[in-house]
Amino acid sequence: MFIKKDLRKIPQILDDATSRAVAAPSSPDPANEKEGGDDGAIVTSLRFARRAPEFLPAGNVALLLEPRYRPALDNLVQLSLYDCGLQSLAGIEQSGGDGAPLFPKLEQLDVGRNPKLTNDSLPESFHTQFPKMTELWLDDCGFGPNIPSTLLEMELLQVVRMTGNQLQGELEDGIGIRYWKNVKVLALDGNKLTSVGRGIGRMQQLEKLHLRSNNLTSLPEGVPGEDNANLTQLSLSSNQLKSVPASLIGATALKELYLNGNQLEELPVGIANKLLELKKLNLAHNSIGKDVNAGLSQDSANNDGDAAMADVEDQFIDSLPFDFYKKFGLPEALSGNCTRDAAVVVRLEGNPIAEAIRKQYLEEEKRKAKESAMETEAVE
């Protein structure tokens, strides 16, 4: 749906929202998309995305926090400050003097793409001003190396997005145990995390976990696991994983599993038999079957096509759990996809075992073409 940008300046928009709030119509409109339409409804959504010039030179939110706008803030459910050149959110910790939070109804806050926002940009009591916050969007900011403690204190969060920040080292172990126990979507792609705590394995409400493009070398046993009963999507691509924990097969609701771009040499037994809801399994560009060439028989080394392909197939079976081979079959020579189960997309291209199958196939096709050419030449 296309939403026309409000061309008024921020003070004008806030003045209008405040006057509507003061007028107190009989019922607010939670679906109000115009932030200043002509119907007189209370404004519950303000989108100030890409308005950096209006926040200069200070790069803070003082403009929004003037006391006269308090009635408008009281009714906000959604607020976007995306790409506004913000450097600080100081001032949000100051209530209106009556002890009530500044944003008592706000459920969704987007301050993404403000790269100068860091841990120091947040007041320690930031969380106290958002008692109903369920969605927090902080993509492409500068938070790190740890998640600010005030964000961890937001108990009702269901969606947390902090992709493209500066998070480093181990992800806070308390997540899932003390903090963010109700989170359904946790997106931390594009950081520099090297490990995660066991608490993630206890997040019973978690549906989507995105940890792509970090520096993860391993996952603790139980992450993910059977307690992640609602986990349907797990994205771990572009890390440095050499294996995944056996507990993975306990996350039986998984529909999409992305493990491509790692250093995986093996998979847990049961990945095919236990993950019955799986629709997408991306294992491309790993190290599965890395010793395939060393295991070829003498006949294979002497370019006996049938013997070489049989050897490669045997090593494929040895490289992966038998239940994987039984359900998904061998990867196709050209695509690298395993297509035995048409209901599941399984990608293996870029793995040594898939490349070996491709190589043998191309060599066999080349040999057949050469023989055919020789037969044609003999007939002529």
Side-chain angles (χ1 to χ4, degrees):
M1 178 177 64
F2 177 75
I3 300 175
K4 184 177 180 181
K5 182 177 180 180
D6 195 327
L7 298 180
R8 297 173 298 170
K9 296 297 184 182
I10 290 177
Q12 293 176 296
I13 296 174
L14 289 172
D15 281 335
D16 178 59
T18 300
S19 65
R20 290 166 182 257
V22 172
S26 56
S27 62
D29 179 8
N32 188 352
E33 297 290 345
K34 295 183 179 180
E35 300 140 2
D38 298 326
D39 57 3
I42 288 178
V43 177
T44 61
S45 176
L46 289 176
R47 298 178 179 86
F48 295 142
R50 299 184 177 89
R51 288 176 176 261
E54 296 186 64
F55 289 91
L56 294 176
N60 60 32
V61 291
L63 177 63
L64 308 180
L65 304 180
E66 295 184 18
R68 60 194 176 112
Y69 298 142
R70 179 66 186 272
L73 303 186
D74 283 344
N75 290 294
L76 283 185
V77 176
Q78 297 176 320
L79 174 62
S80 174
L81 298 171
Y82 177 84
D83 194 14
C84 284
L86 297 178
Q87 302 178 41
S88 173
L89 297 179
I92 288 183
E93 78 279 13
Q94 300 174 8
S95 65
D98 55 3
L102 281 173
F103 298 90
K105 298 180 181 179
L106 198 71
E107 297 176 4
Q108 183 184 93
L109 175 63
D110 184 354
V111 291
R113 204 171 182 180
N114 285 288
K116 293 185 178 181
L117 285 180
T118 67
N119 289 22
D120 293 333
S121 303
L122 295 177
E124 293 183 1
S125 59
F126 181 80
H127 63 283
T128 64
Q129 304 305 306
F130 306 94
K132 293 189 176 182
M133 180 79 72
T134 59
E135 297 189 24
L136 185 60
W137 296 58
L138 301 171
D139 299 304
D140 301 313
C141 292
F143 295 108
N146 303 311
I147 295 175
S149 58
T150 187
L151 301 183
L152 294 173
E153 295 293 340
M154 291 184 166
E155 297 181 353
L156 301 183
L157 285 178
Q158 296 180 15
V159 176
V160 179
R161 295 190 55 89
M162 296 188 71
T163 67
N165 277 267
Q166 300 297 320
L167 303 178
Q168 300 178 22
E170 180 179 357
L171 183 66
E172 280 72 7
D173 195 53
I175 292 177
I177 301 175
R178 294 179 56 197
Y179 313 117
W180 294 357
K181 291 183 286 186
N182 298 308
V183 166
K184 296 181 178 180
V185 178
L186 181 58
L188 301 172
D189 301 328
N191 284 283
K192 298 177 182 179
L193 297 171
T194 57
S195 62
V196 299
R198 294 180 181 273
I200 288 182
R202 301 187 187 181
M203 299 176 74
Q204 298 181 7
Q205 307 303 319
L206 190 63
E207 297 175 2
K208 297 181 180 181
L209 177 60
H210 301 293
L211 291 166
R212 294 170 291 199
S213 299
N214 277 282
N215 297 324
L216 300 175
T217 57
S218 65
L219 295 174
E221 186 66 26
V223 179
E226 60 182 12
D227 284 344
N228 301 128
N230 292 298
L231 186 64
T232 60
Q233 186 177 99
L234 177 59
S235 302
L236 293 165
S237 55
S238 301
N239 279 284
Q240 301 170 31
L241 298 171
K242 292 188 177 181
S243 65
V244 291
S247 61
L248 171 68
I249 66 172
T252 54
L254 274 173
K255 294 182 178 180
E256 300 180 28
L257 178 56
Y258 301 96
L259 296 169
N260 49 300
N262 280 282
Q263 301 170 23
L264 297 178
E265 300 176 10
E266 59 184 10
L267 296 174
V269 174
I271 192 169
N273 285 346
K274 300 295 184 181
L275 302 183
L276 300 179
E277 300 297 321
L278 207 58
K279 300 300 179 186
K280 294 182 180 180
L281 176 57
N282 194 337
L283 299 167
H285 302 288
N286 277 286
S287 300
I288 297 172
K290 68 173 186 175
D291 298 324
V292 62
N293 292 323
L296 292 177
S297 67
Q298 188 60 43
D299 287 338
S300 300
N302 291 334
N303 291 322
D304 184 318
D306 292 336
M309 185 57 74
D311 268 2
V312 171
E313 292 179 4
D314 286 343
Q315 291 194 52
F316 176 84
I317 297 173
D318 291 340
S319 300
L320 290 165
F322 185 73
D323 66 296
F324 182 99
Y325 167 72
K326 185 176 180 180
K327 183 173 183 178
F328 302 131
L330 294 169
E332 293 185 344
L334 296 181
S335 69
N337 292 347
C338 299
T339 58
R340 179 175 290 173
D341 187 340
V344 186
V345 177
V346 181
R347 296 181 57 184
L348 269 171
E349 77 269 18
N351 282 276
I353 193 69
E355 294 305 304
I357 291 175
R358 175 183 174 86
K359 178 181 178 182
Q360 291 299 331
Y361 171 82
L362 294 176
E363 288 181 353
E364 182 64 10
E365 290 299 300
K366 183 178 179 180
R367 182 187 67 78
K368 290 178 180 179
K370 184 177 180 180
E371 288 181 354
S372 177
M374 290 175 64
E375 290 174 1
T376 301
E377 184 178 329
V379 171
E380 293 177 352

